[in-house]
């Protein structure tokens, strides 16, 4: 026989309205009462009717987390941390105020990003978290702004994690933006301080905000140091993957055999750069220094350990999850810049001679 809301109320010795308040999490209930209701839910194995509940509520129990590539640790770490906050820390399995987090893998496609947002809008998602850099295309920016406005107007919390604020939009509850410019600048300042002047740069896709900001930081450091020659010639763009790092580094070495250092757009790209350097019979860092960005878990275990820029990915993802759930207040003005920290390791050293 199907267990009803009234059965739970009778077991917990409260009204059906109180049970509804506890399960929907939309009204303050005394802790002891909430505990009795959740115990009754467990004992009776009651399952909340999601579709029916959604009809009566402004939003559903669904939270969407959009990522470019879930196989990339950069996105996986943030998504996992956000999902932990959204699903509830206690791991009780009770159908209380927790939400169901769904990770949507866009593959970097702007069309798929908009499609997922439309699907989440149809499901009346309680929140949407968008991770990683944004596409710098006026048409896509306008489409995103319109879509996120519709979501926000319907009661959906919109949180950006690891991407800058959306220009001209008031739909975003909070933007957690990494200091990619500052991190890129500090990384190149580190190489300049070691004595490097011929520095190649393996950049990400040219149309992404993350790519532009990290490259701007790199070039700002070079310009301040008076190293202004051949910056375009010593920059190669490509995807954020190992193969791109490998092929771009070979191209940089072809263009400038006297390179003494290579900066990669992220740590995965840096691994490809390291492989290319070794395949040319060169040593790291004795012949060429190599540096990355993000400080992904494998970076410290690379041989030699990779100099990189640490972004607090887990902390940022967890914070985005709390913002989506409404358990943390938005930052002042809705925007927070998350600091990037230089991690100087064995893959960088002064140039020879």
């Amino acid at each position: 026989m199907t267990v009803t809301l009234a059965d739970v109320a009778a077991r917990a010795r409260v009204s059906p309205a109180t049970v509804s308040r506890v399960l929907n999490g939309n009204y303050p209930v005394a802790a002891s009462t909430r505990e009795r209701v959740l115990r009754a839910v467990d004992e009776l194995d009651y399952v909340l009717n999601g579709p029916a509940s959604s009809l009566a509520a402004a939003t559903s129990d669904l939270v969407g987390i959009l990522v470019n590539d879930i196989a990339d640790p950069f996105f996986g770490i943030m998504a996992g941390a956000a999902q932990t906050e959204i699903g509830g820390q206690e791991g009780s399995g009770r159908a209380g105020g927790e939400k169901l987090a769904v990770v949507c893998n866009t593959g970097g496609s702007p069309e798929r990003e908009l499609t997922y947002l439309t699907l989440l809008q149809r499901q009346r998602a309680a929140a949407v978290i968008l991770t990683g850099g944004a596409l710098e295309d006026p048409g896509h920016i306008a489409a995103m702004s319109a879509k996120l406005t519709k979501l926000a107007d319907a009661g959906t919390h919109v949180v950006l994690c690891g991407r800058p604020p959306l220009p001209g939009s008031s739909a975003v509850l909070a933007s957690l933006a990494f200091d990619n410019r500052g991190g890129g600048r500090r990384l190149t300042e580190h190489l300049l301080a070691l004595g490097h002047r011929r520095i190649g740069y393996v950049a990400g896709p040219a149309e992404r905000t993350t790519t532009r900001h990290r490259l701007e930081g790199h070039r700002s450091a070079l310009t301040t140091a008076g190293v202004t020659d051949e910056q375009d010639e010593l920059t190669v763009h490509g995807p954020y993957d190992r193969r791109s790092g490998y092929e771009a580094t070979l191209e940089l070495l072809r263009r400038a055999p006297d390179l003494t250092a290579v900066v990669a757009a992220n740590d995965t790209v840096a691994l490809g750069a390291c492989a290319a350097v070794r395949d040319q019979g060169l040593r790291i860092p004795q012949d060429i220094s190599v540096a990355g960005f993000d400080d992904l878990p494998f970076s410290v275990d690379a041989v030699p350990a990779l100099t990189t820029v640490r972004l607090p990915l887990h902390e940022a993802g967890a914070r985005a999850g709390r913002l989506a759930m409404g358990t943390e207040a938005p930052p002042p003005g809705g925007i927070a810049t998350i600091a990037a920290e230089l991690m100087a390791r064995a893959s960088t050293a002064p140039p020879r001679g």
Side-chain angles (χ1 to χ4, degrees), residues 20-165:
S20 179
R21 289 167 181 166
V22 170
L23 297 182
N24 289 323
N26 58 4
Y27 195 88
V29 177
S32 59
T33 302
R34 183 177 187 273
E35 181 62 27
R36 285 210 315 276
V37 170
L38 293 178
R39 190 184 307 116
V41 167
D42 282 351
E43 291 171 353
L44 296 175
D45 197 23
Y46 174 71
V47 178
L48 182 66
N49 187 327
S53 176
S54 294
L55 292 175
T59 58
S60 69
D61 287 332
L62 183 68
V63 176
I65 305 173
L66 273 66
V67 302
N68 279 6
D69 182 4
I70 192 60
D72 185 335
F74 177 86
F75 295 102
I77 291 169
M78 287 191 291
Q83 191 168 29
T84 297
E85 294 292 333
I86 292 163
Q89 290 282 7
E90 296 180 2
S92 65
R94 291 170 169 174
E98 301 88 352
K99 304 292 184 185
L100 173 64
V102 176
V103 178
C104 307
N105 198 82
T106 69
S109 164
E111 294 80 11
R112 196 174 299 172
E113 186 172 58
L114 289 168
T115 297
Y116 277 129
L117 290 176
T118 298
L119 293 172
L120 290 166
Q121 180 188 353
R122 290 175 185 171
Q123 295 295 320
R124 296 199 286 191
V128 171
I129 300 173
L130 296 99
T131 65
L135 183 68
E136 294 192 311
D137 174 77
H140 184 65
I141 291 172
M144 285 289 290
S145 182
K147 181 63 64 179
L148 294 181
T149 297
K150 289 181 179 179
L151 281 160
D153 288 346
T156 299
H157 289 174
V158 178
V159 178
L160 307 183
C161 183
R163 70 167 66 189

